[in-house]
Amino acid sequence: MADSAIKLTVKFGGKSIPISVSADVTVKDLKSLLQPITNVLPRGQKLIFKGKVLVETSTLKQSAVGDGAKIMLMASQGLHQGEGPVLKEASTRPISRTLVSDKVDQRKPGLIVDKNRTDRWKATGVIALAQANLKEIPEEVWDCGSKARVLDISENFIEQVPARISSFGSMQKLFLHGNGLSDESIQWEGIASLKRLMLLSISHNNLTVLPSAVGSLASLRQLDVSNNKLTNLPNEIGLLTQLEILKANNNRITNLPESIGNCTFLMEVDLSANILSELPETFTKMRNLKTLELNNTGLKMLPSGLFKMCLQLSTLGLHNTEITVEFLRQLEGWDDFDERRCTKHQKQLDFRVVGSGEFDEGADKSW
């Protein structure tokens, strides 16, 4: 077998991808190998060699693809996954002159102190500084201490979330999304000490790792880590036993820890646009699960007992995966699940919910 190993160059998106495989692998196998490298689902890949589209069932040897061959990869629109963050580059918003007294000077962030504003923060417990063109957390914010319950510094240019954020002992909601934060930008020991935190939003950043420290947030109900560059979720995610909503879509997650099944209060999970090929069987322990979004992933199967055990599940998204409606109908518990989703759709029609006019099968009919 070693003698039949060949080196190929795959051209995709203006880049050259070197890959070494056996000449005896099929074109379909090659597509599977390219999935985690290109973030394109196998069914969305078209491999072209010397002007001809390679047939999935043929081996590379049968297709006359030899050592040193150059193959072009064309991707179908809508079948990409894990594209990473969608960030504003430098789209600062002009600050209205009428609001300038309530903003921080862009050149010297944190140096202008609005006493009325600080008093208001302390009285309400809500520190609202979204879209304020901030590069750092203003100094007067820290004066709020244990009086702060909500901190919204989203859609700024915050460069550091320091450990002193632990001084907000009563913090319940923390909004950090849309700042372009990197792994080094956040001192997680500070956030991990916020024992009353119920909502954490860190989406639309540049995070590649969700650290184990997140497991210390035992009161967390909502976690939004979508639109980052995460490749996995830590085992400690299973310690978030009060978690109800998990949004981790648009990342590069390849697998999930078995411990996620300990999050039995989860009602809504969005894992769309990741590089997942399977879900752990422990998903069947989520008896409160109502919505599960898995569109644009590499999924080929579901936990066998998903419909049978998750008796509140009524919304399931599997478009642009290898799971078809025909496959779903063969799973035990399908009929009851189908009845729940039809009932939900009818209620949406009755209450004239926007976007509920056409019934969505949840998965593609074939591929």
Side-chain angles (χ1 to χ4, degrees), residues 172-186:
Q172 297 177 13
K173 297 181 180 181
L174 179 58
F175 299 92
L176 299 173
H177 54 272
N179 275 290
L181 294 167
S182 65
D183 297 329
E184 296 75 24
S185 301
I186 304 176

PDB file of all heavy atoms in Angstrom, residues 172-186:
ATOM      1  N   GLN A 172     -25.030  39.691  36.231  1.00  0.00           N
ATOM      2  CA  GLN A 172     -25.917  38.648  35.711  1.00  0.00           C
ATOM      3  C   GLN A 172     -25.841  38.510  34.193  1.00  0.00           C
ATOM      4  O   GLN A 172     -26.052  37.427  33.661  1.00  0.00           O
ATOM      5  CB  GLN A 172     -27.371  38.943  36.122  1.00  0.00           C
ATOM      6  CG  GLN A 172     -27.603  38.919  37.622  1.00  0.00           C
ATOM      7  CD  GLN A 172     -29.023  39.271  37.994  1.00  0.00           C
ATOM      8  OE1 GLN A 172     -29.914  39.314  37.140  1.00  0.00           O
ATOM      9  NE2 GLN A 172     -29.253  39.541  39.268  1.00  0.00           N
ATOM     10  N   LYS A 173     -25.541  39.620  33.500  1.00  0.00           N
ATOM     11  CA  LYS A 173     -25.482  39.578  32.040  1.00  0.00           C
ATOM     12  C   LYS A 173     -24.243  40.323  31.568  1.00  0.00           C
ATOM     13  O   LYS A 173     -23.997  41.461  31.973  1.00  0.00           O
ATOM     14  CB  LYS A 173     -26.731  40.206  31.414  1.00  0.00           C
ATOM     15  CG  LYS A 173     -28.025  39.471  31.760  1.00  0.00           C
ATOM     16  CD  LYS A 173     -29.226  40.130  31.100  1.00  0.00           C
ATOM     17  CE  LYS A 173     -30.512  39.394  31.447  1.00  0.00           C
ATOM     18  NZ  LYS A 173     -31.703  40.014  30.797  1.00  0.00           N
ATOM     19  N   LEU A 174     -23.472  39.652  30.689  1.00  0.00           N
ATOM     20  CA  LEU A 174     -22.236  40.232  30.173  1.00  0.00           C
ATOM     21  C   LEU A 174     -22.208  40.101  28.661  1.00  0.00           C
ATOM     22  O   LEU A 174     -22.208  38.996  28.119  1.00  0.00           O
ATOM     23  CB  LEU A 174     -21.032  39.520  30.798  1.00  0.00           C
ATOM     24  CG  LEU A 174     -19.636  39.988  30.364  1.00  0.00           C
ATOM     25  CD1 LEU A 174     -19.445  41.472  30.644  1.00  0.00           C
ATOM     26  CD2 LEU A 174     -18.567  39.161  31.069  1.00  0.00           C
ATOM     27  N   PHE A 175     -22.199  41.245  27.980  1.00  0.00           N
ATOM     28  CA  PHE A 175     -22.216  41.286  26.520  1.00  0.00           C
ATOM     29  C   PHE A 175     -20.857  41.771  26.011  1.00  0.00           C
ATOM     30  O   PHE A 175     -20.507  42.933  26.186  1.00  0.00           O
ATOM     31  CB  PHE A 175     -23.317  42.225  26.017  1.00  0.00           C
ATOM     32  CG  PHE A 175     -24.704  41.807  26.435  1.00  0.00           C
ATOM     33  CD1 PHE A 175     -25.265  42.308  27.608  1.00  0.00           C
ATOM     34  CD2 PHE A 175     -25.442  40.924  25.663  1.00  0.00           C
ATOM     35  CE1 PHE A 175     -26.538  41.933  27.989  1.00  0.00           C
ATOM     36  CE2 PHE A 175     -26.729  40.546  26.039  1.00  0.00           C
ATOM     37  CZ  PHE A 175     -27.279  41.047  27.212  1.00  0.00           C
ATOM     38  N   LEU A 176     -20.120  40.863  25.365  1.00  0.00           N
ATOM     39  CA  LEU A 176     -18.788  41.180  24.846  1.00  0.00           C
ATOM     40  C   LEU A 176     -18.708  40.969  23.332  1.00  0.00           C
ATOM     41  O   LEU A 176     -17.617  41.032  22.763  1.00  0.00           O
ATOM     42  CB  LEU A 176     -17.729  40.288  25.520  1.00  0.00           C
ATOM     43  CG  LEU A 176     -17.594  40.405  27.044  1.00  0.00           C
ATOM     44  CD1 LEU A 176     -16.640  39.336  27.572  1.00  0.00           C
ATOM     45  CD2 LEU A 176     -17.092  41.792  27.429  1.00  0.00           C
ATOM     46  N   HIS A 177     -19.824  40.697  22.672  1.00  0.00           N
ATOM     47  CA  HIS A 177     -19.778  40.310  21.261  1.00  0.00           C
ATOM     48  C   HIS A 177     -19.368  41.481  20.358  1.00  0.00           C
ATOM     49  O   HIS A 177     -19.556  42.645  20.686  1.00  0.00           O
ATOM     50  CB  HIS A 177     -21.126  39.737  20.810  1.00  0.00           C
ATOM     51  CG  HIS A 177     -22.298  40.637  21.073  1.00  0.00           C
ATOM     52  ND1 HIS A 177     -23.004  40.622  22.265  1.00  0.00           N
ATOM     53  CD2 HIS A 177     -22.912  41.565  20.301  1.00  0.00           C
ATOM     54  CE1 HIS A 177     -23.986  41.499  22.212  1.00  0.00           C
ATOM     55  NE2 HIS A 177     -23.945  42.095  21.028  1.00  0.00           N
ATOM     56  N   GLY A 178     -18.766  41.093  19.218  1.00  0.00           N
ATOM     57  CA  GLY A 178     -18.433  42.076  18.188  1.00  0.00           C
ATOM     58  C   GLY A 178     -17.292  43.009  18.547  1.00  0.00           C
ATOM     59  O   GLY A 178     -17.315  44.186  18.171  1.00  0.00           O
ATOM     60  N   ASN A 179     -16.273  42.501  19.263  1.00  0.00           N
ATOM     61  CA  ASN A 179     -15.130  43.336  19.603  1.00  0.00           C
ATOM     62  C   ASN A 179     -13.837  42.894  18.925  1.00  0.00           C
ATOM     63  O   ASN A 179     -12.810  43.559  19.057  1.00  0.00           O
ATOM     64  CB  ASN A 179     -14.911  43.345  21.119  1.00  0.00           C
ATOM     65  CG  ASN A 179     -15.768  44.383  21.826  1.00  0.00           C
ATOM     66  OD1 ASN A 179     -15.562  45.581  21.702  1.00  0.00           O
ATOM     67  ND2 ASN A 179     -16.778  43.914  22.551  1.00  0.00           N
ATOM     68  N   GLY A 180     -13.863  41.758  18.238  1.00  0.00           N
ATOM     69  CA  GLY A 180     -12.640  41.252  17.637  1.00  0.00           C
ATOM     70  C   GLY A 180     -11.674  40.686  18.658  1.00  0.00           C
ATOM     71  O   GLY A 180     -10.469  40.658  18.427  1.00  0.00           O
ATOM     72  N   LEU A 181     -12.200  40.244  19.800  1.00  0.00           N
ATOM     73  CA  LEU A 181     -11.364  39.720  20.875  1.00  0.00           C
ATOM     74  C   LEU A 181     -10.650  38.434  20.460  1.00  0.00           C
ATOM     75  O   LEU A 181     -11.243  37.567  19.824  1.00  0.00           O
ATOM     76  CB  LEU A 181     -12.215  39.435  22.117  1.00  0.00           C
ATOM     77  CG  LEU A 181     -12.837  40.656  22.812  1.00  0.00           C
ATOM     78  CD1 LEU A 181     -13.899  40.217  23.805  1.00  0.00           C
ATOM     79  CD2 LEU A 181     -11.752  41.477  23.499  1.00  0.00           C
ATOM     80  N   SER A 182      -9.384  38.311  20.839  1.00  0.00           N
ATOM     81  CA  SER A 182      -8.619  37.093  20.611  1.00  0.00           C
ATOM     82  C   SER A 182      -8.541  36.294  21.904  1.00  0.00           C
ATOM     83  O   SER A 182      -8.997  36.748  22.963  1.00  0.00           O
ATOM     84  CB  SER A 182      -7.207  37.436  20.131  1.00  0.00           C
ATOM     85  OG  SER A 182      -6.494  38.123  21.151  1.00  0.00           O
ATOM     86  N   ASP A 183      -7.946  35.108  21.854  1.00  0.00           N
ATOM     87  CA  ASP A 183      -7.811  34.282  23.054  1.00  0.00           C
ATOM     88  C   ASP A 183      -7.025  35.007  24.145  1.00  0.00           C
ATOM     89  O   ASP A 183      -7.321  34.863  25.334  1.00  0.00           O
ATOM     90  CB  ASP A 183      -7.099  32.964  22.709  1.00  0.00           C
ATOM     91  CG  ASP A 183      -7.888  32.124  21.725  1.00  0.00           C
ATOM     92  OD1 ASP A 183      -9.130  32.207  21.761  1.00  0.00           O
ATOM     93  OD2 ASP A 183      -7.277  31.412  20.922  1.00  0.00           O
ATOM     94  N   GLU A 184      -6.038  35.789  23.730  1.00  0.00           N
ATOM     95  CA  GLU A 184      -5.186  36.488  24.693  1.00  0.00           C
ATOM     96  C   GLU A 184      -5.859  37.724  25.276  1.00  0.00           C
ATOM     97  O   GLU A 184      -5.370  38.299  26.256  1.00  0.00           O
ATOM     98  CB  GLU A 184      -3.863  36.897  24.044  1.00  0.00           C
ATOM     99  CG  GLU A 184      -2.981  35.739  23.583  1.00  0.00           C
ATOM    100  CD  GLU A 184      -3.485  35.069  22.308  1.00  0.00           C
ATOM    101  OE1 GLU A 184      -4.208  35.747  21.534  1.00  0.00           O
ATOM    102  OE2 GLU A 184      -3.178  33.886  22.090  1.00  0.00           O
ATOM    103  N   SER A 185      -6.965  38.148  24.696  1.00  0.00           N
ATOM    104  CA  SER A 185      -7.619  39.386  25.127  1.00  0.00           C
ATOM    105  C   SER A 185      -8.407  39.223  26.420  1.00  0.00           C
ATOM    106  O   SER A 185      -8.696  40.213  27.096  1.00  0.00           O
ATOM    107  CB  SER A 185      -8.568  39.891  24.029  1.00  0.00           C
ATOM    108  OG  SER A 185      -7.873  40.137  22.832  1.00  0.00           O
ATOM    109  N   ILE A 186      -8.790  37.993  26.729  1.00  0.00           N
ATOM    110  CA  ILE A 186      -9.668  37.755  27.876  1.00  0.00           C
ATOM    111  C   ILE A 186      -8.928  37.025  28.979  1.00  0.00           C
ATOM    112  O   ILE A 186      -8.351  35.961  28.751  1.00  0.00           O
ATOM    113  CB  ILE A 186     -10.899  36.921  27.458  1.00  0.00           C
ATOM    114  CG1 ILE A 186     -11.658  37.605  26.309  1.00  0.00           C
ATOM    115  CG2 ILE A 186     -11.831  36.718  28.647  1.00  0.00           C
ATOM    116  CD1 ILE A 186     -12.823  36.800  25.788  1.00  0.00           C
TER     117      ILE A 186
END
